């Protein structure tokens, strides 16, 4: 085996993606928990922790650029590094969505949380599960699994549809609830986008394994 | 989750474990016309088989790069294309190597004419110890090319992107030029006899990075009018300049074998054969 240093750095970068994925998973989980339990302190910590996630993303990007510049990677090596660049960007944006949900919880203030909360939480849990499995597919080079995760985005879209319609009905019935409903629609949108970004990660996994760039499951939103 | 997955990175399924695939999937067809067609071609130096059963095409007005570890037979293949190997004692070829449909190894083929139409540029610049002008004019004179010799010389030097640098010192010795200029002079010398194909055997290996980039730019320019085949050890160079790339390797019996041939973009980003992947990612060679 040659290129031991390169191999080591490549392995480290994949571990960085997993660490960042774990940070993002935690951010999303805590953002929906804070909304469910109306925990302002937890929301505030999601907002402040986002700085560390942004920093991690730039750290990964920096390592990718250095490895490309110094090691001139080719073929599968190049595909791994390019995929890591994209995946770290997707993860960083997912964390921004989590931060958005945390801020919504803060903006809701003391207002009671009513509406399709069960479906909203389900979207969050489902998105987290998809994220976790997409990173497993990344490590295991499992393009088949990545494809099947993309298909699951339809379930998130269906939950989004149903929550959206419920919330619109709410505001028609009680127009004074417009602020609460708007905040919850934003929450749904953030969760829907998180799942879309999981499908983007899966597309990069497929590219990494096959060399083919494909748009797997185009979201309706 | 993190711990589980980090453990997986240690035992990950190796992306480079691509199984070796049939030849039909490793050797891709070219698009457009072929100038040179190599079919089941083998080359021997005495009893030693240097190349075994190579089949590939050289596309017209494109750059084809031959890459591979030392001893894989890439220079042998290049030199077979204009029968330079005939000069080596004990050389023998089997199979077919045609140029515009004509088998180059048929009896009766005029080897001098083959080498005029299929010119060659070598690893080390080798200008004649004569003036810049004479270096260019020599070939056309010997080959009986008619026309205004001063114009022929200027045209060849312009094609080789050297004219502006030497137009005021055409009577100076070619050996007084820098390494990069000498190599461009050798390219101009090859162009002056109006070839169709130019073979380049590691043309930049003796040059600095700036001179190398100049030659690479020149190659791209020349590919508008000429068919170019280049042997290079520099994979980045092959990736930068070539339209098609062939990867050769030495087998256990030391015979050179064509492992993979396809368009450069695909070969360097999505090689089909594990051996190609291993070589271009620096895992052996």
């Amino acid at each position: 085996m040659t290129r031991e240093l390169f191999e080591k750095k490549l392995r480290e970068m994949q571990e960085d993606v997993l660490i960042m994925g774990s940070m993002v998973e935690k951010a999303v989980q805590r953002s929906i928990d804070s909304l469910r339990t109306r925990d302002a302190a937890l929301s505030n910590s999601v907002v402040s922790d986002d700085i560390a996630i942004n920093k991690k993303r730039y750290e990964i990007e920096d390592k990718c650029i250095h490895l490309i510049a110094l090691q001139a990677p080719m073929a599968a090596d190049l595909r791994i590094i390019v995929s890591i660049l994209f995946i770290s960007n997707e993860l960083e944006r997912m964390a921004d969505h989590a931060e958005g949900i945390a801020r919504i919880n803060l903006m809701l203030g003391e207002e009671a949380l009513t509406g399709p909360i069960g479906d909203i939480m389900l979207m969050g849990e489902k998105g987290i599960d998809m994220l976790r499995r997409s990173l497993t597919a990344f490590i295991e080079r499992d393009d088949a699994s990545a494809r099947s995760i993309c298909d699951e985005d339809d379930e998130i879209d269906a939950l989004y549809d149903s929550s959206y319609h419920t919330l619109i009905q709410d505001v028609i019935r009680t127009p004074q609830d417009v602020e609460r409903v708007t905040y919850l629609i934003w929450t749904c949108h953030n969760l829907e986008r998180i799942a879309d970004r999981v499908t983007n990660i899966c597309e990069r996994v497929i590219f990494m394994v096959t060399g083919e760039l494909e748009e797997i499951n185009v979201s309706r939103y | 989750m993190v711990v589980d997955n980090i453990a997986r990175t240690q035992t990950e399924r190796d992306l480079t474990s691509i199984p070796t695939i049939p030849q039909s999937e490793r050797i891709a067809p070219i698009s457009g016309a072929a100038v040179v067609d190599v079919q089941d071609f083998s080359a021997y130096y005495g009893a030693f088989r240097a190349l075994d059963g190579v089949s590939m095409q050289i596309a017209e007005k494109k750059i084809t790069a031959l890459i591979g570890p030392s001893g894989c037979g890439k220079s042998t293949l290049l030199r077979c294309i204009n029968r330079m190997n005939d000069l080596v004692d004990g050389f023998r070829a089997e199979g077919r190597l045609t140029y515009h449909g004509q088998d180059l190894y048929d009896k009766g083929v005029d080897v001098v004419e083959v080498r005029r139409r299929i010119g060659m540029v070598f690893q080390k610049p080798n200008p004649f110890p004569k003036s810049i002008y004479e270096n260019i004019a020599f070939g056309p004179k010997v080959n009986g090319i008619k026309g205004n010799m001063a114009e022929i010389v200027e045209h060849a030097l312009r094609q080789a992107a050297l004219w502006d640098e030497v137009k005021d010192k055409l009577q100076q010795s070619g050996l007084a030029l820098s390494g990069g200029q000498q190599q461009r002079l050798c390219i101009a010398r090859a162009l002056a006899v109006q070839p169709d194909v130019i073979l380049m055997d590691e043309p930049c290996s003796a040059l600095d990075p700036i001179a190398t980039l100049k030659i690479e730019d020149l190659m791209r320019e020349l590919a508008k009018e000429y068919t170019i085949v280049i042997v290079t050890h520099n994979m980045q160079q092959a990736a930068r300049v070539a339209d098609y790339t062939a990867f050769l390797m030495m087998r256990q019996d030391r015979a050179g074998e064509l492992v993979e041939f396809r368009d450069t973009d695909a070969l360097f980003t999505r090689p089909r054969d594990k051996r190609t992947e291993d070589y271009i990612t620096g895992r052996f060679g």
Side-chain angles (χ1 to χ4, degrees):
Chain A
M1 178 64 76
T2 54
R3 306 199 77 177
E4 280 175 17
L5 178 67
F6 176 68
E7 298 274 1
K8 181 170 171 278
K9 292 214 177 272
L10 205 53
R11 202 160 46 239
E12 278 173 10
M13 277 173 44
Q14 292 171 80
E15 289 170 6
D16 280 339
V17 169
L18 295 181
I19 291 166
M20 186 175 174
S22 174
M23 293 162 85
V24 173
E25 182 187 327
K26 188 175 156 194
V28 177
Q29 184 69 61
R30 292 168 89 204
S31 72
I32 58 171
D33 285 349
S34 73
L35 184 67
R36 192 182 61 237
T37 59
R38 309 308 322 282
D39 184 340
L42 191 56
S43 288
N44 276 320
S45 70
V46 171
V47 172
S48 59
D49 287 354
D50 191 51
I51 295 166
I53 293 173
N54 292 346
K55 198 173 154 203
K56 190 74 188 166
R57 177 257 169 117
Y58 287 117
E59 181 193 317
I60 291 173
E61 189 173 325
D62 196 48
K63 285 182 182 176
C64 288
I65 291 167
H66 272 82
L67 217 52
I68 289 170
L70 302 180
Q71 296 283 347
M74 293 269 197
D77 294 337
L78 181 62
R79 298 203 303 271
I80 292 170
I81 296 169
V82 169
S83 297
I84 288 173
L85 261 178
F86 279 92
I87 290 172
S88 62
N89 181 55
E90 296 295 346
L91 289 172
E92 193 267 324
R93 299 292 293 125
M94 287 163 92
D96 289 345
H97 294 307
E99 186 194 352
I101 294 168
R103 286 189 187 279
I104 285 167
N105 185 44
L106 296 173
M107 288 189 286
L108 274 166
E110 299 297 317
E111 200 166 338
L113 190 65
T114 55
I117 306 306
D119 278 357
I120 293 173
M121 294 301 141
L122 195 55
M123 281 174 81
E125 298 292 349
K126 180 85 189 150
I128 290 168
D129 181 52
M130 286 168 69
L131 166 63
R132 190 180 296 143
R133 284 183 290 122
S134 72
L135 294 178
T136 301
F138 164 72
I139 288 303
E140 294 187 344
R141 317 295 190 233
D142 187 348
D143 55 321
S145 175
R147 279 176 203 283
S148 95
I149 295 167
C150 288
D151 292 339
E152 293 173 33
D153 188 44
D154 292 344
E155 294 171 35
I156 300 278
D157 286 351
L159 284 167
Y160 178 74
D161 274 346
S162 139
S163 302
Y164 182 82
H165 286 296
T166 304
L167 288 164
I168 292 296
Q169 290 303 319
D170 278 2
V171 83
I172 292 169
R173 269 197 311 273
T174 49
Q176 67 273 25
D177 275 358
V178 65
E179 193 166 312
R180 173 188 63 86
V181 166
T182 306
Y183 285 148
L184 288 180
I185 287 176
W186 287 355
T187 302
C188 291
H189 183 68
N190 277 310
L191 292 170
E192 193 275 327
R193 293 298 297 140
I194 285 173
D196 283 349
R197 292 185 184 281
V198 173
T199 66
N200 292 348
I201 290 175
C202 290
E203 285 171 3
R204 294 296 152 179
V205 172
I206 293 163
F207 165 72
M208 194 171 73
V209 178
T210 66
E212 302 296 332
L213 273 175
E214 318 171 38
E215 189 158 24
I216 302 295
N217 190 357
V218 182
S219 175
R220 282 177 285 141
Y221 302 104
Chain B
M1 169 216 169
V2 176
V3 175
D4 286 355
N5 272 335
I6 286 180
R8 278 195 190 94
T9 63
Q10 312 299 324
T11 56
E12 69 198 38
R13 202 174 87 205
D14 188 352
L15 261 189
T16 62
S17 299
I18 303 167
T20 302
I21 51 169
Q23 177 171 309
S24 58
E25 291 175 39
R26 290 185 281 117
I27 314 297
I30 58 168
S31 58
V35 173
V36 174
D37 194 357
V38 185
Q39 288 304 322
D40 200 18
F41 188 83
S42 300
Y44 298 80
Y45 297 114
F48 171 61
R49 182 164 53 187
L51 274 180
D52 186 30
V54 172
S55 296
M56 62 180 277
Q57 293 180 314
I58 306 294
E60 186 176 30
K61 293 181 183 173
K62 299 283 180 196
I63 301 176
T64 301
L66 308 179
I67 63 167
S70 298
C72 70
K74 54 192 186 298
S75 287
T76 295
L77 177 58
L78 188 81
R79 286 158 174 268
C80 286
I81 297 173
N82 75 343
R83 291 191 54 174
M84 286 290 282
N85 283 323
D86 289 16
L87 306 171
V88 178
D89 279 345
F91 175 78
R92 178 167 62 87
E94 285 176 3
R96 274 175 69 82
L97 201 160
T98 61
Y99 167 72
H100 291 296
Q102 165 71 53
D103 192 331
L104 287 178
Y105 286 84
D106 266 355
K107 282 180 184 162
V109 167
D110 179 353
V111 179
V112 174
E113 180 62 10
V114 168
R115 292 181 194 146
R116 184 191 69 74
R117 293 199 194 188
I118 307 176
M120 193 149 196
V121 176
F122 297 89
Q123 185 173 356
K124 206 173 158 194
N126 56 351
F128 303 136
K130 291 175 176 294
S131 70
I132 293 166
Y133 184 95
E134 281 300 318
N135 261 278
I136 308 297
F138 183 80
K141 277 184 200 161
V142 168
N143 282 282
I145 292 172
K146 302 267 190 293
N148 182 324
M149 192 54 73
E151 283 178 8
I152 291 172
V153 170
E154 179 177 338
H155 183 64
L157 287 168
R158 280 190 188 280
Q159 280 187 302
L162 190 59
W163 174 251
D164 288 341
E165 292 162 60
V166 301
K167 63 185 176 192
D168 299 323
K169 49 183 177 184
L170 292 175
Q171 297 312 316
Q172 280 186 18
S173 168
L175 296 172
L177 298 171
S178 72
Q181 288 173 324
Q182 285 189 23
Q183 194 61 303
R184 279 181 283 147
L185 180 64
C186 293
I187 292 171
R189 188 175 66 188
L191 297 175
V193 293
Q194 300 167 1
D196 179 21
V197 179
I198 305 166
L199 308 177
M200 297 184 168
D201 193 355
E202 295 188 56
C204 302
S205 63
L207 305 182
D208 67 44
I210 303 296
T212 295
L213 290 176
K214 276 192 183 175
I215 298 283
E216 288 178 7
D217 286 347
L218 174 60
M219 285 168 69
R220 289 304 330 165
E221 197 57 36
L222 292 174
K224 292 174 186 165
E225 288 182 58
Y226 302 92
T227 300
I228 297 175
V229 187
I230 175 175
V231 163
T232 178
H233 268 122
N234 181 339
M235 280 185 293
Q236 298 293 335
Q237 179 169 65
R240 280 195 297 265
V241 302
D243 300 290
Y244 292 94
T245 299
F247 169 59
L248 292 94
M249 232 183 92
M250 186 164 63
R251 287 194 317 233
Q252 295 260 321
D253 63 359
R254 297 184 62 223
E257 175 190 19
L258 177 62
V259 173
E260 188 159 353
F261 172 76
R262 59 186 67 249
D263 69 88
T264 298
D265 177 49
L267 188 121
F268 282 105
T269 56
R270 305 182 297 278
R272 299 291 305 274
D273 193 283
K274 181 184 184 309
R275 293 167 292 177
T276 316
E277 176 89 37
D278 284 350
Y279 182 71
I280 64 175
T281 57
R283 287 179 172 79
F284 76 74

